[in-house]
């Protein structure tokens, strides 16, 4: 049995009259300490998937398991890095991490806690910005802070919800390397949502595409067997990398076309209306 | 004086800029909402001087010009507006009123100090007062002479101005009298003809009578207009005479003040009175010791009475009338008491409203009904309730306790004060409540998700996530509340006769002295400036708690 498991999950929004089914019979299995990338088009329910796994949303049918246990409520064991950082803007870098650490490790002593927080600040290279407010940080720094906060909770599962999609290309590749470095130092189960095929290929052990919504499910899996560490500079000339990337892209494009062909196009007959043109002025009465 | 202030402010700015650095000074100015000072600091650092000069022109010179234009317009308009209580005071009258109010305040403080002086200090002060009184004597004589001369001159000027009109009036009166007599005679002769004539002749006679009546009426009007003109001229105040009179009043006031000071330093002085009573006590004691069984009761009573009187005198203070600075302080205290009561009610209720839609639904009817109620309605109700709890403030334990407090005691908190504060609270709490509720309800969903992932309990969630993120909006509400409270307070004080700015205005309105009008106009500026300061203060707080750098100043 896999470590993190999505078991035949149905989920939808809205009342019965105009219900939108996001997932229908979606299943996914992630092994312990595996890095899985879920890739999908926007609107296919990627963020909903993270919310379901984190326990922020409850599936309508089916279950989410972690280590064999059913996920009933969100908690620090399922760390989420949100797409838009979700930092508390009135707390400093240190304060944001402190809030999480105090809550998750209430018995930690003061000095120990300070060192612990500093360790995570150093880990994401934010040393020197401890007392800055999130508003004074760049996008990349904010996402690092969000990552540090989540990691400081020592989650068993790390759920990354498009963590890099709001960043520019350079910061993005830098942060990809950093996430991989941290993950390799301290292996744990990671599920990352992304919309970038290259990112998925470079970072993940396995790529799982999400089919087009509504009623999405998880499609064919692509294992990534490229050896680690993966060097960005030479990877571009690696035939395996190129092939995998093309394969995933092609699969995704097919999904898109399939989705388009599935959408019904209905021709509605319009009534034959003639506009009333203003005629000559007529005196009435 | 004004120039000194400007130089002082500029010196402070330059000093701050040099000491704290440009960036920090600009930031502090921004937080304080005094952004018009920024270009001066930047100019000191030689940063884009052209742009800074332009900004100085726009944000400092233009407002100053606007103020000057306003003063000019005010001066012109005030000349034209004549009311029952005199002319609308112009800027200069208002400034004079301000000075008089200030003098009155300091003189009353002096008298109070004099009442409590003793020993060497008292002797020195007395000497100073008497010296000044001596100095005043020749000045007073001169001023009196000036006034007499000015009055004489004014009378002459008036006489020459009125003379031609008076002459015209006299001639016209005589002329009209003759004309009337002539007409009467004519009518009398016509009457005898008409009496024998036919109906047409009689009707024609009516026409004649009517025409003459009209003539007489026109003449009366003409004479009345002339008389009014002459009376207006007589009633008009001669500016030179006024000036002389004002000088005389100033000297007379100072003399009166010095006389009172003298009295406070001698006969009315606390220690003087105590000494006097002590002498009496000594005498009474001697009688007591010498008394026999027949007189001892009387003598003992006398001793006891005198001792009581000494205690009373030692406790008593100078009966100082309320001066405007005291009233201003009391008003500010009152608005803050009301504001605190209002906030203490509004913030918890607002938080509850924001947290629970059910509670919000329960509160909505009350908010909707009570919010538009005018302070004028709340005040009498609050006054009745406050007076019911404290029927006699001189005896009630609560007011007695308040009066004994070190700093607060001076302000003699009474039911009228409490009623005014409660009215302020009732009128101002709505803005805070609604804004807090809105802030709490509008907490970012992502932040709530963070709280859920961290499994924060209800209280940690409230204090660590919900309240901090609602603070900027809550403070925006508090700022509106304080502004509303300040406006409401003046009306409440005016009605409740709670010693404060409102009461001052009401007293001036009822008093009807020649300077009352100017005093009231001056108070307009006092109220405005204090309101401005309160608002600025809240802006600073709001800036300090707002994490998103939201623009709040204006």
């Amino acid at each position: 049995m896999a470590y993190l498991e999505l078991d035949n999950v149905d989920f939808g929004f809205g009342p019965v009259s105009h219900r939108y089914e996001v997932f229908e019979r979606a299943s996914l299995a992630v092994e312990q300490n595996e890095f899985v990338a879920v890739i999908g088009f926007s609107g296919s329910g990627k963020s909903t998937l993270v919310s379901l796994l984190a326990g922020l949303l409850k599936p309508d049918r089916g279950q989410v398991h972690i280590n064999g246990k059913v996920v009933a409520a969100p908690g620090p064991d399922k760390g989420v890095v949100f797409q838009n950082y979700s930092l508390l803007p009135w707390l400093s870098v240190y304060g944001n991490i402190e809030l999480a650490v105090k809550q998750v490790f209430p018995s930690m002593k003061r000095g120990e806690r300070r060192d612990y927080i500093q360790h995570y600040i150093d880990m994401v290279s934010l040393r020197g910005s401890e007392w800055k407010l999130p508003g004074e940080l760049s996008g990349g720094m904010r996402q690092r802070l969000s990552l540090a906060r989540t990691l400081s909770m020592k989650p068993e599962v790390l759920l990354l919800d498009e963590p890099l999609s709001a960043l520019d290309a350079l910061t993005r590749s830098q942060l990809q390397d950093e996430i991989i470095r941290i993950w390799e130092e301290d292996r744990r189960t990671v599920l990352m949502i992304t919309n970038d095929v290259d990112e998925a290929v470079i970072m993940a052990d396995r790529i799982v595409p999400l089919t087009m919504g509504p009623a999405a499910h998880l499609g064919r899996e692509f294992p990534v067997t490229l050896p680690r560490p993966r060097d960005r500079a030479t990877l571009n000339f690696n035939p395996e990398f190129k092939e995998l990337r093309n394969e995933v892209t092609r699969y995704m494009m097919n999904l898109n076309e399939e989705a388009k062909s599935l959408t019904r196009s209905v021709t509605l007959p319009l009534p034959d209306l003639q506009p009333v043109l203003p005629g000559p002025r007529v005196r009435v009465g | 004086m004004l120039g000194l202030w400007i130089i002082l402010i500029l010196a402070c700015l330059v000093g701050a800029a040099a000491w704290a650095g440009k960036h920090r000074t600009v930031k502090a100015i921004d937080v304080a909402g005094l952004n018009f000072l920024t270009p001066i600091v930047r100019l000191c650092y030689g940063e884009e001087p052209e742009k800074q000069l332009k900004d100085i022109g726009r944000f400092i010179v233009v407002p100053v010009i606007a103020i000057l234009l306003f003063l000019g317009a005010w001066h012109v308009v005030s000349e034209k507006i004549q009311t029952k209580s005199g002319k609308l005071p112009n800027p200069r009258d208002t400034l004079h009123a301000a000075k008089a109010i200030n003098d009155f305040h300091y003189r009353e403080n002096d008298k109070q100090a004099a009442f409590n002086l003793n020993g060497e200090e008292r002797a020195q002060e007395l000497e100073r007062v008497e010296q000044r009184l001596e100095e005043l004597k020749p000045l007073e004589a001169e001023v009196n002479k000036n006034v007499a001369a000015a009055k004489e001159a004014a009378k002459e000027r008036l006489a020459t101005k009125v003379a031609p009109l008076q002459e015209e009036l006299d001639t016209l009166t005589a002329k009209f009298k003759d004309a009337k007599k002539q007409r009467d005679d004519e009518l009398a002769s016509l009457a005898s003809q008409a009496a024998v004539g036919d109906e047409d002749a009689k009707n024609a006679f009516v026409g004649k009578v009517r025409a003459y009546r009209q003539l007489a009426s026109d003449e009366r009007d003409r004479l009345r207009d002339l008389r009014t003109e002459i009376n207006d001229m007589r009633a008009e105040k001669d500016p030179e005479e006024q000036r002389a009179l004002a000088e005389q009043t100033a000297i007379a006031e100072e003399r009166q003040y010095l006389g009172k000071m003298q009295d406070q330093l001698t006969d009315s002085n606390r220690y003087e009175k105590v000494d006097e009573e002590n002498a009496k006590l000594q005498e009474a004691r001697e009688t007591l010791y010498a008394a026999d069984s027949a007189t001892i009761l009387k003598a003992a009573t006398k001793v006891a009475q005198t001792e009581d009187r000494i205690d009373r005198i030692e406790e008593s203070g100078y009966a100082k009338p309320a001066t405007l600075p005291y009233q201003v302080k009391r008003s500010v205290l009152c608005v803050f008491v009301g504001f605190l009561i209002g906030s203490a009610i509004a913030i918890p209720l607002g938080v509850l409203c924001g947290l629970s839609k059910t509670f919000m639904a329960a509160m909505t009817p009350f908010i909707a009904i009570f919010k538009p109620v005018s302070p004028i309605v709340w005040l009498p109700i609050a006054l009745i309730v406050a007076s019911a709890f404290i029927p006699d403030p001189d005896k009630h334990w609560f007011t007695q306790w308040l009066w004994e407090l070190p700093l607060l005691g001076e302000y003699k908190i009474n039911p009228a004060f409490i009623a005014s504060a409660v009215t302020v609270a009732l009128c101002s709490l709505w803005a805070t409540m609604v804004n807090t509720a809105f802030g709490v309800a509008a907490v970012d969903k992502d932040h709530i998700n963070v709280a859920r992932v961290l499994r924060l309990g209800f209280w940690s969630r409230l204090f660590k996530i919900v309240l901090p993120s609602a603070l900027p909006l809550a403070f925006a509400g508090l700022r509106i509340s304080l502004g509303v409270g300040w406006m409401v307070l003046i009306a409440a004080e005016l009605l409740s006769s709670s010693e404060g700015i409102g009461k001052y205005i009401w007293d001036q309105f009822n008093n009807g002295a020649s300077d009352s009008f100017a005093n009231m106009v001056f108070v307009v500026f006092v109220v405005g400036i204090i309101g401005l300061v309160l608002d600025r203060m809240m802006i600073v707080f709001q800036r300090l708690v707002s994490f998103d750098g939201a623009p709040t100043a204006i």
Side-chain angles (χ1 to χ4, degrees):
Chain A
M1 198 174 183
Y3 188 70
L4 170 65
E5 212 172 18
L6 193 69
D7 187 12
N8 266 330
V9 163
D10 282 11
F11 184 80
F13 288 115
V16 186
S17 55
H18 40 89
R19 190 162 177 79
Y20 181 83
E21 291 294 344
V22 184
F23 292 120
E24 217 169 81
R25 308 208 158 264
S27 292
L28 175 70
V30 182
E31 296 302 327
Q32 187 148 24
N33 296 345
E34 193 183 14
F35 195 128
V36 169
V38 172
I39 187 162
F41 290 100
S42 49
S44 55
K46 296 186 303 259
S47 293
T48 312
L49 179 65
V50 167
S51 296
L52 282 170
L53 291 171
L56 290 166
L57 293 175
K58 274 213 175 75
D60 295 336
R61 214 182 59 192
Q63 277 168 339
V64 179
H65 298 280
I66 284 184
N67 206 2
K69 276 178 282 185
V70 177
V71 171
D77 55 333
K78 301 169 281 286
V80 191
V81 175
F82 294 97
Q83 186 174 359
N84 40 11
Y85 323 129
S86 291
L87 300 169
L88 303 178
W90 56 89
L91 292 178
S92 63
V93 168
Y94 188 90
N96 264 290
I97 300 178
E98 191 186 30
L99 177 73
V101 174
K102 263 193 180 166
Q103 181 65 23
V104 179
F105 306 108
S107 57
M108 203 183 270
K109 296 225 167 48
R110 184 186 284 247
E112 191 189 343
R113 187 167 64 223
R114 202 172 48 229
D115 294 343
Y116 184 83
I117 294 169
Q118 192 61 51
H119 168 73
Y120 280 97
I121 291 176
D122 292 348
M123 183 188 271
V124 295
S125 327
L126 279 176
R127 183 176 267 267
S129 307
E130 285 89 344
W131 304 111
K132 281 188 181 155
L133 293 177
E136 298 165 320
L137 299 177
S138 69
M141 287 161 99
R142 285 185 216 182
Q143 195 53 276
R144 279 165 212 259
L145 171 56
S146 179
L147 185 66
R149 182 178 63 182
T150 309
L151 289 173
S152 73
M153 303 190 294
K154 295 233 166 164
E156 287 160 29
V157 176
L158 190 59
L159 303 165
L160 308 174
D161 183 7
E162 295 199 57
L164 309 172
S165 60
L167 305 176
D168 62 281
L170 282 175
T171 319
R172 196 170 171 155
S173 56
Q174 205 182 346
L175 222 65
Q176 283 166 3
D177 293 347
E178 213 147 329
I179 291 174
I180 288 298
R181 174 178 64 75
I182 293 166
W183 178 67
E184 275 174 357
E185 269 173 32
D186 177 20
R187 290 234 172 192
R188 56 190 74 193
T189 314
V190 178
L191 184 131
M192 184 177 77
I193 303 281
T194 181
N195 54 15
D196 182 347
V197 177
D198 282 19
E199 188 172 280
V201 175
I202 287 172
M203 294 175 78
D205 291 332
R206 192 147 54 95
I207 299 172
V208 187
L210 198 58
T211 63
M212 292 292 285
H217 55 91
L218 291 139
R220 180 189 146 191
E221 294 180 2
F222 296 88
V224 185
T225 51
L226 291 166
R228 288 178 192 273
R230 296 168 188 164
D231 181 21
R232 194 180 294 278
T234 57
L235 217 52
N236 270 327
F237 306 104
N238 186 327
E240 198 186 339
F241 170 76
K242 281 197 270 189
E243 200 187 320
L244 185 60
R245 193 180 59 180
N246 290 343
E247 215 177 321
V248 174
T249 312
R250 208 172 309 123
Y251 180 78
M252 297 301 294
M253 297 320 285
N254 281 341
L255 276 181
N256 197 10
E257 266 162 34
E258 209 178 307
K260 270 188 195 153
S261 69
L262 280 177
T263 48
R264 288 185 307 147
S265 72
V266 184
T267 320
L268 293 173
L270 291 175
D272 183 27
L273 295 175
Q274 290 302 320
V276 179
L277 296 169
R281 204 172 265 271
V282 179
R283 199 188 181 85
V284 182
Chain B
M1 187 65 192
L2 192 68
L4 206 73
W5 273 108
I6 291 173
I7 289 169
L8 199 71
I9 290 173
L10 281 181
C12 282
L13 265 183
V14 173
W19 176 69
K22 179 176 75 177
H23 184 69
R24 269 149 82 186
T25 312
V26 167
K27 203 170 173 191
I29 286 172
D30 183 50
V31 167
L34 301 170
N35 291 12
F36 66 94
L37 294 175
T38 312
I40 296 179
V41 174
R42 291 196 191 279
L43 191 66
C44 288
Y45 279 88
E47 185 188 315
E48 296 176 276
E50 217 164 281
K51 185 176 175 288
Q52 305 314 333
L53 284 175
K54 217 163 138 191
D55 278 358
I56 289 175
R58 185 180 297 159
F59 298 120
I60 297 177
V61 176
V62 169
V64 167
I65 291 173
I67 290 172
L68 292 178
L69 282 178
F70 167 74
L71 288 178
W74 177 10
H75 190 91
V76 171
V77 169
S78 67
E79 292 301 316
K80 304 239 161 86
I81 298 183
Q82 185 76 40
T83 70
K84 212 163 61 181
S85 355
K87 230 168 18 189
L88 186 74
N90 58 28
R92 188 182 291 141
D93 298 338
T94 311
L95 199 62
H96 276 306
K99 275 192 190 131
I101 288 169
N102 202 35
D103 280 351
F104 179 64
H105 173 65
Y106 283 109
R107 284 176 178 173
E108 284 305 323
N109 281 353
D110 283 355
K111 285 184 211 167
Q112 191 180 25
F115 175 73
N116 290 319
L117 275 184
N118 197 14
E120 184 61 23
E121 281 178 344
R122 184 160 62 130
Q124 274 177 10
E125 184 70 8
L126 192 60
E127 196 185 333
R128 189 187 70 83
V129 167
E130 275 166 357
Q131 199 183 340
R132 180 68 191 151
L133 266 174
E134 279 306 311
E135 279 172 24
L136 226 52
K137 266 181 193 156
L139 284 176
E140 197 177 13
E142 196 191 316
V143 165
N144 284 345
K145 214 170 70 195
N146 282 351
V147 168
K151 272 195 174 154
E152 199 58 42
K155 212 168 160 190
E156 248 167 61
R157 268 199 296 276
L158 184 67
T160 48
K161 221 159 79 178
V162 169
L165 282 177
Q166 187 65 47
E167 202 178 330
E168 193 186 348
L169 181 69
D170 290 345
T171 44
L172 275 182
T173 315
K175 197 173 124 193
F176 289 159
K177 205 173 168 192
D178 288 350
K180 185 164 189 305
K181 193 163 177 348
Q182 214 173 356
R183 285 199 298 271
D184 284 348
D185 291 346
E186 197 184 337
L187 278 180
S189 66
L190 280 175
S192 51
Q193 286 174 21
V196 294
D198 55 5
E199 277 183 1
D200 282 349
K202 280 175 180 161
N203 280 336
F205 184 62
V206 171
K208 199 79 183 167
V209 170
R210 165 156 297 138
Y212 282 177
R213 275 173 65 89
Q214 183 61 43
L215 264 177
S217 155
D218 286 352
E219 284 164 0
R220 264 202 309 280
D221 284 352
R222 174 92 178 90
L223 288 178
R224 203 185 51 220
D225 286 351
L226 258 176
R227 271 192 214 105
T228 327
E229 207 176 327
I230 292 169
N231 284 341
D232 282 353
M233 257 181 204
R234 290 224 167 91
E236 209 174 278
K237 282 168 184 160
D238 185 73
E240 257 164 62
E241 189 187 336
Q242 288 296 310
R243 218 166 294 141
L245 277 172
E247 266 174 49
Q248 192 187 33
T249 318
I251 298 254
E253 272 175 6
E254 190 176 355
R255 210 172 65 95
Q256 202 195 12
Y257 150 70
L258 290 168
K260 275 271 164 60
M261 281 292 280
Q262 211 175 10
D263 185 43
Q264 294 295 338
L265 288 165
T266 52
D267 293 346
S268 296
N269 188 275
R270 183 208 298 257
Y271 298 98
E272 196 83 349
K273 280 204 270 189
V274 170
D275 285 349
E276 203 176 299
E277 291 298 323
N278 272 332
K280 277 187 201 160
L281 184 62
Q282 198 58 40
E283 210 173 288
R285 284 232 171 90
E286 272 159 28
T287 335
L288 178 71
Y289 299 146
D292 55 18
S293 63
T295 54
I296 188 156
L297 178 62
K298 207 177 157 199
T301 315
K302 179 103 194 216
V303 170
Q305 272 176 347
T306 320
E307 275 172 353
D308 283 354
R309 200 154 50 230
I310 291 174
D311 282 351
R312 258 205 315 281
I313 293 170
E314 273 177 345
E315 264 177 28
S316 73
Y318 170 68
K320 191 169 116 177
T323 60
L324 187 61
Y326 169 80
Q327 286 168 316
V328 167
K329 280 190 257 174
R330 202 167 183 270
S331 283
V332 171
L333 178 72
C334 191
V335 83
F336 273 108
V337 169
F339 177 64
L340 285 182
I341 297 173
S343 306
I345 298 169
I347 292 175
L349 284 181
V351 170
L352 285 176
C353 281
L355 287 178
S356 152
K357 286 215 167 87
T358 316
F359 189 78
M360 180 67 148
M363 286 301 293
T364 305
F366 300 104
I367 297 177
I369 290 174
F370 293 140
K371 197 168 75 167
V373 175
S374 150
I376 312 297
V377 182
W378 286 125
L379 183 83
I381 297 170
L383 208 51
I384 289 170
V385 175
S387 311
F389 278 111
I390 307 173
D392 186 358
D394 288 324
K395 298 222 172 72
H396 197 268
W397 62 269
F398 183 62
T399 42
Q400 287 301 315
W401 174 73
L402 283 173
W403 294 357
E404 294 298 326
L405 289 178
L407 281 170
L408 230 56
E410 192 192 334
Y411 296 103
K412 292 268 172 201
I413 291 170
N414 54 9
F417 180 96
I418 296 169
S420 306
V422 168
T423 306
V424 167
L426 284 172
C427 293
S428 72
L429 62 86
W430 310 107
T432 306
M433 191 191 286
V434 172
N435 263 36
T436 309
F438 183 63
V440 169
V443 173
D444 200 333
K445 209 168 167 296
D446 291 332
H447 296 162
I448 294 294
N449 275 344
V450 170
R452 288 178 66 194
V453 168
L454 286 174
R455 289 210 183 123
L456 292 178
F458 174 77
W459 293 109
S460 327
R461 192 182 291 204
L462 185 64
F463 284 106
K464 290 187 174 153
I465 309 281
V466 173
L467 288 185
S469 84
L471 264 190
L473 263 175
F475 264 81
L478 285 174
R479 183 182 158 205
I480 299 170
S481 282
L482 191 57
V484 169
W486 182 241
M487 281 206 272
V488 164
L489 176 76
I490 308 297
E493 281 179 342
L494 195 146
L495 280 175
S496 71
S497 279
S498 168
E499 202 64 74
I501 297 179
K503 180 163 181 280
Y504 183 83
I505 289 274
W506 190 238
D507 287 348
Q508 292 300 321
F509 176 71
N510 284 330
N511 165 347
S514 57
D515 57 349
S516 297
F517 206 171
N519 286 345
M520 276 147 74
V521 172
F522 171 65
V523 170
V524 169
F525 291 97
V526 173
V527 172
I529 288 168
I530 292 172
L532 172 80
V533 171
L534 293 179
D535 193 49
R536 287 279 134 178
M537 202 179 74
M538 290 310 288
I539 286 179
V540 173
F541 284 134
Q542 203 183 340
R543 296 298 284 260
L544 288 179
V545 297
S546 77
F547 39 80
D548 44 1
T552 42
I554 278 298

